[in-house]
């Protein structure tokens, strides 16, 4: 069994820019692979089943949970999300270098189970005001949802000290470069 596989897990409050950063890294570093998680939320326009997520019902999710199919699972904004145990173990054995955004509960659980094979990277917004600006600019959420996201952001940011690395997403190109250096440093 090879030990060279590694899983870079990215967490950040909603609106910080983690999807933007991960999409750029996947384009710029073609060896990176994004694991496909399970979720009970509905697909958004343009999202494809088995590519963006495995979209499943709450009943299917519960059945998989009871069978022990998940290495971690969490509830995020009323939907369930989980990482497949079998998928991650197989990819790590193959030596895959993976990157995926996972919420803070799931990320810390992954670290507990997989130890050094998981590298936790927390992306922080330059300020709470800028975070709110980005959420507003993204134009996806109403006022109440924005407030919920800002409250959740405080709780998530309190977990940042438990991460292996912290990166501030001020200028996007700097954040991407910093994460590339982190990946390089761990990829042996
Ligand atoms: P997340 O995946 O963390 O919820 P997104 O990647 O959707 O966040 O980014 C939220 C919004 O902020 C998007 O409109 C995105 O274009 C913008 N954004 C991302 N990074 C930056 C940055 N460094 N500076 C300014 N705007 C950014
Ligand atoms: P979205 O629905 O916007 O894709 O993701 C919502 C939140 O769920 C994000 O914080 C994202 O990081 C988190 N998430 C995505 N996949 C997983 C997963 O497999 N496990 C956990 N715990 N969280 C996930």
């Amino acid at each position: 069994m090879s030990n060279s596989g590694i899983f870079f897990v990215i967490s950040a409050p909603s609106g910080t820019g983690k999807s933007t950063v991960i999409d750029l890294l996947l384009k710029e570093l073609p060896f990176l692979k994004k694991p496909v998680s399970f979720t009970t939320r509905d697909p958004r326009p343009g999202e494809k089943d088995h590519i963006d997520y495995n979209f499943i019902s709450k009943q299917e999710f519960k059945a998989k949970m009871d069978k022990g199919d998940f290495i971690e699972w969490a509830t995020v904004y009323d939907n369930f999300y989980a990482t497949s145990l079998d998928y991650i173990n197989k990819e790590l054995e193959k030596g895959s270098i993976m990157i995926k955004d996972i919420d803070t509960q799931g990320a810390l659980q992954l670290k507990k189970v997989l130890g050094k094979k998981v590298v936790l990277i927390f992306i922080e917004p330059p300020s709470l005001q800028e975070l709110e600006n980005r959420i507003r600019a993204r134009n996806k959420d109403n006022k109440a949802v924005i407030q919920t996201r800002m409250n959740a952001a405080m709780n998530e940011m309190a977990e940042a000290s438990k991460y292996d690395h912290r990166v501030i997403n001020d200028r996007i190109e700097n954040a991407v470069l910093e994460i590339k250096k982190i990946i390089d440093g761990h990829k042996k």
Side-chain angles (χ1 to χ4, degrees):
M1 181 177 127
S2 155
N3 295 323
S4 56
I6 192 154
F7 188 4
F8 293 95
V9 172
I10 309 273
S11 304
S14 174
T16 303
K18 58 189 174 303
S19 315
T20 310
V21 168
I22 292 174
D23 286 348
L24 285 168
L25 287 165
L26 287 168
K27 270 195 202 120
E28 293 179 27
L29 303 177
F31 61 80
L32 283 180
K33 192 164 187 170
K34 188 172 162 188
V36 184
S37 291
F38 287 85
T39 185
T40 60
R41 80 153 163 76
D42 292 332
R44 297 186 185 124
E47 283 185 332
K48 293 196 177 70
D49 197 16
H50 309 305
I51 292 176
D52 297 291
Y53 280 102
N54 296 301
F55 293 98
I56 57 176
S57 66
K58 286 197 168 137
Q59 288 87 330
E60 287 172 296
F61 193 97
K62 171 131 193 352
K64 285 185 151 299
M65 208 167 77
D66 291 345
K67 267 203 308 174
D69 283 0
F70 299 143
I71 195 164
E72 65 77 28
W73 70 272
T75 316
V76 186
Y77 298 116
D78 295 334
N79 286 302
F80 296 107
Y81 292 82
T83 309
S84 157
L85 174 67
D86 188 51
Y87 180 97
I88 298 297
N89 276 339
K90 281 196 179 127
E91 292 298 328
L92 287 173
E93 278 176 30
K94 277 200 276 178
S96 297
I97 316 288
M98 295 175 276
I99 190 160
K100 169 82 179 92
D101 62 302
I102 306 268
D103 90 304
T104 49
Q105 314 158 70
L108 295 168
Q109 182 61 23
L110 280 171
K111 185 77 184 176
K112 213 193 270 174
V113 178
L114 294 171
K116 283 191 177 146
K117 289 176 183 173
V118 164
V119 176
L120 298 184
I121 303 173
F122 196 93
I123 307 184
E124 293 171 281
S127 65
L128 286 174
Q129 185 55 57
E130 173 60 14
L131 178 64
E132 196 170 330
N133 295 346
R134 285 182 195 173
I135 295 174
R136 285 183 196 285
R138 192 168 57 176
N139 220 3
K140 270 198 330 200
D141 307 311
N142 64 37
K143 223 170 162 188
V145 174
I146 293 173
Q147 196 47 53
T148 310
R149 291 199 192 281
M150 290 306 292
N151 292 341
M154 314 279 190
N155 296 331
E156 287 154 349
M157 274 157 68
E159 306 284 14
S161 64
K162 299 177 185 159
Y163 279 60
D164 300 307
H165 301 274
R166 293 163 78 161
V167 171
I168 296 175
N169 182 16
D170 191 345
R171 285 171 57 91
I172 187 80
E173 53 276 28
N174 290 349
V176 169
L177 190 65
E178 226 179 296
I179 297 177
K180 276 180 167 178
K181 284 187 192 154
I182 293 170
I183 293 174
D184 240 28
H186 284 275
K187 188 168 75 73
K188 289 281 166 319

